[in-house]
Amino acid sequence: TRMGLSEGFWHHEYWLPPGATWEDMKGIPYPQPQDLLLCIPGALLLIVVRCIFERTVALPLGRRLGVRDKLRPKVQPNATLEGFYVQLGRTPKEGDLISLAKQSDLPVKNVETWFRHRRAQDRPRLMKKFCEASWRFTFYFTSFFSGLAILYDKPWFWDHTVCWLRFPQQPLPPALGWFYLLELSFYCSLVVTLPFDVKRKDFKEQIIHHIATITLIFVSYCANLVRFGMIVMLVHDASDYILELAKMLHYMKWKRVCEAVFIVFAVVFIISRLVLFPLM
């Protein structure tokens, strides 16, 4: 049964164009799905590199550039209020405030202030946001320009019709295989670290986005659509590093420079994703 499911999943009709079979691919160094298993140690390695980078590069850089966390009032330890905060909610209703005030032998106003200060303690710190943005900027910047260097001399990068030439019998250059693995490892690492990163309002959307990206990278690799996949990843990375740079400038309070960089991001985003991408 397991072999039947495996054979059904990898049936050539699902992965290759009409008339092509896996037999046609013998003797060609084409993408092997099992190669993508390297994304597991790859993701773990990137997480380690990220931790080292944030502590040894991003943190000292943020301090030197003037990123400062706001001073937050310390909360007096209170087991009753802390228990409610952790188990029942961060913003108690009026009835709960009165009840908690009686249990704690405190004025209602003091209980309300305690919860406000406690919520402030849990808000993500500016330096943490800066470090996360610095890591993403570094990766996207490196990814985009290394991808550009890999594809610059490829004829199919400039003429997309060449992407279909002799498809699917297209050998996989090692540089393209490693680039694919790097991108897949990065998005897998984002899924792992997402619960520990600054939690944003679009948390669920981010998870869906990362899983969709991982799926598309996997499927395009297995179907040997690596040429198109490389171009798509490059088009998307073109604006990502600029957005992360704008975030870093925002955390540094460099308002005018941040606004200028964000305008550049908007222009690059529109050209790359709304003009070039649909024409591919």
Side-chain angles (χ1 to χ4, degrees):
T1 304
R2 188 176 298 175
M3 285 297 294
L5 287 172
S6 178
E7 289 175 5
F9 180 80
W10 293 109
H11 198 278
H12 59 83
E13 289 184 356
Y14 303 141
W15 297 92
L16 303 177
T21 66
W22 295 116
E23 290 294 321
D24 302 328
M25 307 289 284
K26 286 187 175 179
I28 300 170
Y30 69 95
Q32 300 291 329
Q34 60 267 27
D35 293 343
L36 296 181
L37 290 174
L38 288 172
C39 75
I40 298 172
L44 295 174
L45 179 62
L46 281 177
I47 291 171
V48 172
V49 172
R50 173 184 169 175
C51 291
I52 296 171
F53 172 86
E54 289 187 359
R55 290 185 181 183
T56 61
V57 179
L59 189 60
L61 180 65
R63 287 172 179 163
R64 180 166 292 186
L65 292 174
V67 179
R68 295 289 182 270
D69 290 320
K70 292 181 180 179
L71 292 174
R72 298 175 181 179
K74 291 184 179 180
V75 175
Q76 292 297 324
N78 188 304
T80 303
L81 302 184
E82 184 68 26
F84 186 97
Y85 182 89
V86 173
Q87 297 176 10
L88 299 175
R90 299 167 43 147
T91 311
K93 296 178 181 178
E94 190 175 349
D96 295 323
L97 286 171
I98 295 170
S99 175
L100 288 167
K102 289 179 180 177
Q103 294 175 44
S104 305
D105 196 23
L106 293 170
V108 174
K109 196 170 184 179
N110 287 17
V111 174
E112 198 172 4
T113 302
W114 188 94
F115 274 91
R116 186 171 64 253
H117 290 171
R118 183 67 180 81
R119 287 193 298 271
Q121 278 191 351
D122 278 354
R123 289 195 195 106
R125 295 187 176 274
L126 211 59
M127 184 61 80
K128 180 172 173 58
K129 291 181 179 179
F130 178 84
C131 290
E132 289 181 8
S134 299
W135 166 248
R136 290 192 296 268
F137 166 79
T138 303
F139 180 86
Y140 289 133
F141 183 88
T142 306
S143 173
F144 174 70
F145 285 101
S146 60
L148 200 60
I150 292 171
L151 299 188
Y152 184 78
D153 62 344
K154 304 292 188 295
W156 44 267
F157 177 63
W158 304 102
D159 181 4
H160 299 159
T161 59
V162 182
C163 289
W164 297 110
L165 189 64
R166 292 191 294 275
F167 176 79
Q169 294 173 296
Q170 298 171 343
L172 176 68
L176 268 62
W178 284 110
F179 188 89
Y180 245 76
L181 184 62
L182 178 66
E183 288 278 339
L184 183 61
S185 299
F186 177 70
Y187 283 101
C188 286
S189 73
L190 288 185
V191 172
V192 174
T193 58
L194 202 57
F196 309 101
D197 291 341
V198 173
K199 195 166 185 179
R200 305 181 188 275
K201 293 179 181 178
D202 60 346
F203 178 78
K204 292 179 181 178
E205 289 79 1
Q206 282 185 315
I207 293 177
I208 294 170
H209 171 270
H210 295 337
I211 292 175
T213 303
I214 290 168
T215 304
L216 289 171
I217 292 174
F218 175 81
V219 170
S220 63
Y221 187 84
C222 294
N224 204 16
L225 289 167
V226 173
R227 293 183 179 183
F228 271 121
M230 284 288 297
I231 296 172
V232 169
M233 286 190 284
L234 200 64
V235 166
H236 282 70
D237 286 347
S239 59
D240 285 343
Y241 73 92
I242 305 175
L243 177 61
E244 298 302 332
L245 177 60
K247 290 180 182 178
M248 291 167 64
L249 293 167
H250 173 69
Y251 302 142
M252 292 157 53
K253 310 292 186 187
W254 292 14
K255 188 176 179 182
R256 290 187 179 180
V257 183
C258 174
E259 289 173 351
V261 171
F262 189 81
I263 291 170
V264 174
F265 158 74
V267 172
V268 174
F269 183 92
I270 290 169
I271 294 173
S272 62
R273 300 201 188 188
L274 303 182
V275 177
L276 295 178
F277 182 61
L279 293 176
M280 286 173 55

